[in-house]
Amino acid sequence: MSARNPAAARVLVLSLLASGAPALAATPAASARVVTASVPVSTGTAAAPGLRAPGAPTPGAVVQGELAPLKVAPLEGPRLSLQPTHPKPGDPVLVTVSGASALPTGTLAGRPLRFFAWNNGYAALTSLPVEQAEGTVPVDITAPGRGLPVLLSGVLTVGAPGFRERELKVANKYVSPPKAVKARMEADRKAFAAAFAQPFQAPVFTRNFAWPREATVTAPFGDRRSFNGKLQTQHFGVDLDGATGSPVVAANDGTVVMARDNYASGNTVLLHHGAGLYTAYFHLSRVDVKVGAKVKQGEALGLVGSTGRVTGPHLHWGVKADDRWVDGQTLLKLDFTGAPETPGVAANASGLGTP
């Protein structure tokens, strides 16, 4: 556009006409790039009918104006989030998929994931075994997109467990149980199996998890223990200090699926939170809830005690996710309320469509 014509447009909007191919040939640059421009701005001086104002473009001509950045909205398709991105053996893992048009499917380390609708997307809660080796663990998800399904792939880097070795002293009857209590122990085992056999359902909670009591951690998850120098076992919970009679509350909303006196765990409460997730409260001196009760986060469950196989009063707090005991301290760090996206790659799998 000539600078001598003040009535011409500063920026021009270019459209391809039906006869655009010949016109573009007259403008070499136009064949290599998209040109944007705007309509000439009126100066208030009208031209006579049938006449063109000086410097005005010939009708039908292609006029090259100033180039503007081309703004393209990104394709919105399924996205993957993993928590934590650097877990250790025995950790729970939260897998979140956003942008999917229907329920995803997939695996973590080859283990099938059970997804549920969550926060305008989908999520699955799984776990790593305490025997998990250090290294990378693959996550492969098939998520319906706007077209055909899309494959989402991610990787977890598993660190060292750092489990401690400990030796504890307890009453001999807990190391070598007498025959008289073996029937009781078998009944306990069946009771736990029934409590942990709840049908899979979406979570009944809406908030992140909280401590069942504010206290010092006296024994973390995963300790390898020997009792009286004989029995070898592993500690599948977090021990919290407390005097007998101190209150114990629910770590989150849930349903009571056990309120029972067991030989080893003493007075025990189990809560089912949905999504294959349970929390356990052992060694209570008193139980204040009944099976079937629905409790809210922070609601009283009972009192700290020293029932069962213990060395003193404390609360053993356990967490079970996807049929494995996991570290409760890691559960407390998971964000169920809207986790930020973490490393995960959306890609087209062989035979799958685009988002």
Side-chain angles (χ1 to χ4, degrees), residues 124-326:
L125 186 65
T126 187
S127 53
L128 296 175
V130 292
E131 304 86 5
Q132 179 69 48
E134 293 181 61
T136 58
V137 171
V139 182
D140 296 303
I141 309 295
T142 300
R146 293 185 300 177
L148 294 176
V150 173
L151 176 66
L152 301 174
S153 60
V155 173
L156 290 175
T157 302
V158 182
F163 298 142
R164 303 185 306 176
E165 301 283 346
R166 300 187 69 193
E167 182 171 343
L168 300 176
K169 298 292 183 181
V170 297
N172 285 332
K173 66 178 181 179
Y174 293 114
V175 177
S176 301
K179 293 182 180 180
V181 301
K182 288 186 177 179
R184 180 185 175 189
M185 294 176 68
E186 177 61 17
D188 293 346
R189 185 192 65 77
K190 290 180 179 179
F192 272 102
F196 287 134
Q198 304 303 312
F200 186 82
Q201 65 180 84
V204 298
F205 58 89
T206 58
R207 292 175 286 184
N208 293 331
F209 279 73
W211 286 109
R213 57 177 279 100
E214 294 292 337
T216 302
V217 174
T218 57
F221 176 89
D223 277 359
R224 294 190 178 96
R225 297 173 164 184
S226 63
F227 291 92
N228 301 354
K230 296 180 180 180
L231 183 64
Q232 297 290 330
T233 186
Q234 194 156 11
H235 186 228
F236 292 127
V238 177
D239 284 351
L240 298 172
D241 194 19
T244 298
S246 300
V248 174
V249 302
N252 216 330
D253 299 359
T255 303
V256 179
V257 292
M258 176 182 281
R260 170 188 171 89
D261 179 18
N262 298 295
Y263 182 72
S265 61
N267 290 327
T268 301
V269 171
L270 295 182
L271 296 184
H272 179 219
H273 303 282
L277 179 63
Y278 300 81
T279 53
Y281 309 78
F282 290 179
H283 311 307
L284 302 176
S285 61
R286 191 181 79 193
V287 173
D288 293 330
V289 290
K290 295 182 179 180
V291 171
K294 298 185 183 302
V295 298
K296 295 294 185 182
Q297 185 181 71
E299 187 173 333
L301 301 178
L303 304 177
V304 171
S306 55
T307 56
R309 186 174 67 183
V310 293
T311 58
H314 70 280
L315 171 67
H316 170 105
W317 182 51
V319 176
K320 201 167 192 179
D322 198 15
D323 297 324
R324 292 177 176 138
W325 290 109
V326 296

